[in-house]
Each structure stands twice: as structure tokens, then as C-alpha cells.
């Protein structure tokens, strides 16, 4: 084993150790979690690190409480295994009379897609313990005041008010007698008009009924397009199959995930900053396609022939995923290549991954120089990256581990475009309907 290879392995292990130390010191949880928000009018007495429970079982905790637009925004960190749905609700609950407060969540009805990272759930306003005690004191004061005045006084006063109200109602009816008589006369006249209309147009009504009967008979006998649509079982089945096919197609396009990915890496061996860009298509959680361009650049701006030959290389990969592991292969930098990736703490197809480790072999990555003695050896790459946000990663990879060991620190941006998947569905329906 060459000294360069020993140095590359030692540095790689050191980098991984540093990344793990950063993760531990940064209080990263080994349990995959996600964040949801909710808003309350008042969070008095609610601790910032209070528990989040469902049916009394701990499922997370409060991450932060901030003031936003005049309301208290409560940021909740929930265990990834717990699914919340669009009609989920959150409520502040107190443990007994003098107990601490916590957030109680009703997960909602399991219909539709679960809530995603960063979305908001509805809150329910509940009376605080102080408000409950205050209302009870007010009601008790009212009862005591009534007892002081005496039951008989209240009873006879209520009876007197009832009699007075009945007198007012009777007087109102007497005053409105003329209007009531007019309403009754109008109703009688309306009934007489209806009778006169039906009497004079009996034959027309009969003709309309006969015509409707003829139309229904034609439909039942199979005459016309509408009758075929109703009575022809094969035509009805074809129409139903067409509608079902369109629904299935739209359902698949809604599940299609599309990621726009950019990677900027610094080539320490050649002191070059290199740019990669591509699009990843995810038809489901266990499969993906990737197409892109590596080493993006302008040929006219590069004097070195070796650098020009390695610009604008094509990537086209097919990958398969399990819970924490993925394998992929195809064209890498316009050459054949394979690779594997490992996410030790999160699902590899999740929206964010704290740590991702990969290894690749490309045959051959670059168009080698004529005097390069290692031109036929594959480019073995080992790298690791850490998720800062769900859309930003920083990492380092070691290339040419079998030969010259080139270190490349990099940043990686990933933007998920859900709207584009919907556009594919609309375009597919338009194409189908035009045939």
C-alpha cells in the first residue's frame, strides 16, 4: 500500500470522526424527527421545552416559542414515526391543578397525505386554569346574590313579567289583524290563479308528458348516442376504463418527486472550482433516475487541453434504495461507473439527512494525459456530507484514492419541485385527450 493511499485513508477517517463529533456536540438526535408549527392567542405558563403528547404518550417536545403577527408561534418537534394529518389539532393542557403545562395533539383523520416538515396545524383555544376558577367564582357570586334577594321575590317578579309579555303579544295580534287578513286573501287568490292556469292548459301539459314518455322510450330502446351510452355495456365499460386510467395516471404523476441539484466542489490538486448540475426523478421511495452535467465550463475560456477534454461531462444514473442504503450505476462524467450511499441515522429517501456517506468507482473519470501511468486505473471516490438544512449540505470527497489522492471540499444544494410533477400530470392528460 502506497504512502499516498495510507494518508488518504487516515485523513478520511479523521474527517468522519470530526463530522461525528460535530453531530454529537450539536445535539443531533438519533431519532428522525420533523417540525410542525401552531399558533395560540396565549401561552402563559407553557415552558419552552414542554412535552408534546398524543393520548398521554410523549411524541416530541417544544423547540421554541416566538411572537409572530401578534400571536404566539409554537414550534413542535415530532417523532418521524408519528403521522399527523391536515385536520390535526393542538391544545395546551395542564397536568392537574398545579401541574406543568404541555401540548396535547389530536393527530387527525388518516385521510390524504400526512403533514410535511415545516407545515402548520390548527390550534384549539382552551380555558386556562385561572379563567376556569374566575368563571366559577362569578357564578358563585350570582347564586349568592339571588339567595340574598329571596326566592319568592324572584318567582313573583318572573310571573308578572310573563303575564305582561302575553298581553303585549295579544295586543300586537289585534293591531295586525288587517294585515293578517290580507295575507290570507292573497293566498286564496294565488290558489285560484294556479287552478285557472292548469284548467286552461290541461292539453298542453298532457302533450309535454307524452313527449317526455317518447324520449324515455327511445333511450330504453337504444336509439341515439345517449341511449348507447346508457344501455351499451361495452361502451359504458370503455368510458369507465378511460376515466379510471386518467385517474391512475394523475395519481402517479402526483407521487413523482423531482429534485434540482447543484454541487460546487474545489479541486485542491489542480486549484480549480468545478460545478455540477442535474435533475433527479423519484417515481417512488425506492427508485430514482438522475441526469446531469459535470465540470460545467466554457471550452473557449480554457487554454489547457487536458482541462478542455474534461469539461461538460454527461451523467445518467439509475438507482435503487432501501431504508438506509442506495446503489446506483450508469454513466458518470461520460464514463461507466457505479456507487453506493449510506444514511446511518435517517431514511435515505427522507426530505433531510443529517449524515450521508458515499463511495463510487468510475472507469475512467477523466480523459487522462498520454504520459499518465495510472490512466487505466479506475477513479475511486469516498465522501461524506452533513445536512445543514434540508436543502443545503456541506461535505468533502477524496478522489483518485488508488493513485494521487485529490481532496475536494464541496457544497450541495437540493430544491424539490412538486409543482413540476403536477405539470407532468396535466400535460399527460392533454396528450391523452388529443389522441
Amino acid at each position: 500500500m502506497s504512502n499516498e493511499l495510507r494518508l488518504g485513508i487516515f485523513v478520511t477517517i479523521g474527517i468522519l470522526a470530526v463530522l461525528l463529533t460535530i453531530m454529537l456536540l450539536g445535539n443531533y438526535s438519533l431519532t428522525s424527527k420533523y417540525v410542525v408549527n401552531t399558533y395560540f392567542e396565549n401561552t402563559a405558563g407553557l415552558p419552552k421545552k414542554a412535552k408534546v403528547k398524543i393520548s398521554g404518550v410523549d411524541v416530541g417536545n417544544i423547540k421554541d416559542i416566538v411572537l409572530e403577527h401578534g400571536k404566539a408561534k409554537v414550534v413542535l418537534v415530532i417523532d418521524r414515526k408519528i403521522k399527523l394529518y391536515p385536520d390535526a389539532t393542538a391544545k395546551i393542557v395542564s397536568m392537574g391543578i398545579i401541574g406543568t403545562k404541555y401540548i396535547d395533539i389530536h393527530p387527525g383523520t388518516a385521510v390524504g397525505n400526512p403533514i410535511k416538515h415545516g407545515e402548520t396545524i390548527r390550534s384549539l383555544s382552551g380555558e386556562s386554569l385561572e379563567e376556569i376558577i374566575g368563571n366559577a367564582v362569578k357564578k358563585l357570586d350570582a347564586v349568592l346574590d339571588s339567595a340574598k334577594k329571596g326566592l319568592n321575590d324572584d318567582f313573583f317578579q318572573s310571573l308578572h313579567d310573563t303575564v305582561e309579555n302575553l298581553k303585549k303579544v295579544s295586543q300586537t295580534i289585534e293591531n295586525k289583524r288587517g294585515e293578517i287578513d290580507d295575507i290570507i286573501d292573497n293566498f286564496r287568490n294565488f290558489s285560484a290563479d294556479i287552478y285557472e292556469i292548469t284548467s286552461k292548459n290541461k292539453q298542453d301539459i298532457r302533450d309535454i308528458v307524452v313527449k317526455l314518455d317518447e324520449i324515455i322510450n327511445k333511450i330504453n330502446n337504444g336509439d341515439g348516442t345517449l341511449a348507447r351510452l346508457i344501455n351499451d355495456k361495452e361502451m359504458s365499460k370503455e368510458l369507465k376504463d378511460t376515466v379510471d386510467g386518467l385517474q391512475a395516471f394523475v395519481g402517479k404523476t402526483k407521487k413523482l418527486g423531482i429534485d434540482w441539484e447543484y454541487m460546487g466542489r474545489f479541486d485542491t490538486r489542480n486549484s480549480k472550482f468545478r460545478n455540477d448540475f442535474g435533475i433527479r426523478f423519484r417515481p417512488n421511495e425506492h427508485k430514482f433516475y438522475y441526469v446531469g452535467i459535470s465540470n460545467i465550463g466554457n471550452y473557449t475560456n480554457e487554454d489547457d487541453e487536458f482541462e478542455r477534454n474534461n469539461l461538460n461531462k454527461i451523467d445518467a444514473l439509475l438507482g435503487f434504495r432501501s431504508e438506509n442504503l442506495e446503489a446506483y450505476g450508469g454513466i458518470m462524467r461520460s464514463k461507466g461507473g457505479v456507487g453506493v450511499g449510506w444514511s446511518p441515522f435517517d431514511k435515505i429517501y427522507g426530505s433531510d439527512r443529517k449524515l450521508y456517506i458515499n463511495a463510487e468507482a468510475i472507469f475512467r473519470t477523466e480523459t487522462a494525459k498520454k504520459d499518465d501511468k495510472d490512466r487505466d486505473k479506475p477513479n475511486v471516490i469516498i465522501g461524506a456530507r452533513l445536512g445543514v438544512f434540508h436543502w443545503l449540505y456541506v461535505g468533502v470527497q477524496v478522489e483518485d484514492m488508488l493513485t494521487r489522492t485529490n481532496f475536494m471540499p464541496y457544497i450541495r444544494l437540493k430544491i424539490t419541485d412538486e409543482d413540476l410533477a403536477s405539470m407532468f400530470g396535466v400535460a399527460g392528460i392533454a396528450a391523452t385527450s388529443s389522441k
Side-chain angles (χ1 to χ4, degrees), residues 38 53 81 88 129 167 189 260 266 277 297 348 383 389 435:
T38 187
K53 299 174 180 283
K81 297 178 180 178
L129 181 60
K167 288 181 180 179
N189 294 334
W260 300 78
F266 183 71
F277 179 78
I348 203 162
F389 304 105
K435 292 182 179 180

Side-chain angles (χ1 to χ4, degrees), residues 126-158:
E127 288 185 323
S128 65
L129 181 60
E130 295 83 1
E131 292 173 339
I132 294 173
I133 295 175
N135 291 334
V137 171
K138 290 179 180 178
K139 291 180 180 179
L140 181 59
D141 289 339
V143 171
L144 293 175
D145 290 339
S146 297
K148 290 178 181 179
K149 293 179 180 178
L151 177 61
N152 292 335
D153 293 341
D154 291 339
F155 176 76
F156 287 115
Q157 183 63 41
S158 299

Side-chain angles (χ1 to χ4, degrees), residues 349-367:
Y349 46 76
S351 60
D352 54 348
R353 295 173 295 193
K354 296 182 179 66
L355 180 63
Y356 177 80
I357 302 170
N358 66 299
E360 297 175 349
I362 308 176
F363 314 93
R364 161 77 189 174
T365 303
E366 301 167 337
T367 302

Side-chain angles (χ1 to χ4, degrees), residues 39-96:
Y39 293 84
F40 291 96
E41 294 291 341
N42 190 346
T43 57
L46 182 65
K48 271 196 173 182
K49 299 297 181 180
K51 298 289 186 180
V52 177
K53 299 174 180 283
I54 295 180
S55 299
V57 179
D58 292 350
V59 297
N61 62 278
I62 295 176
K63 181 180 180 181
D64 197 7
I65 302 175
V66 296
L67 186 63
E68 185 173 299
H69 305 302
K71 291 187 177 182
K73 177 183 178 182
V74 182
V75 182
L76 309 178
V77 180
I78 308 296
D79 192 321
R80 179 72 67 179
K81 297 178 180 178
I82 304 300
K83 303 295 184 184
L84 303 182
Y85 295 90
D87 60 341
T89 57
K91 182 171 62 175
I92 300 176
V93 178
S94 179
M95 295 181 182

Side-chain angles (χ1 to χ4, degrees), residues 295-332:
N295 298 337
I296 299 172
N298 189 341
Y299 295 102
T300 60
N301 295 335
E302 186 57 62
D303 297 330
D304 186 91
E305 181 180 1
F306 175 73
E307 288 293 334
R308 285 200 306 271
N309 291 336
N310 288 289
L311 290 178
N312 302 324
K313 297 298 182 179
I314 301 298
D315 296 320
L317 302 174
L318 169 63
F320 299 92
R321 290 171 164 175
S322 62
E323 189 81 5
N324 299 95
L325 189 69
E326 68 180 12
Y328 49 90
I331 299 174
M332 296 182 180

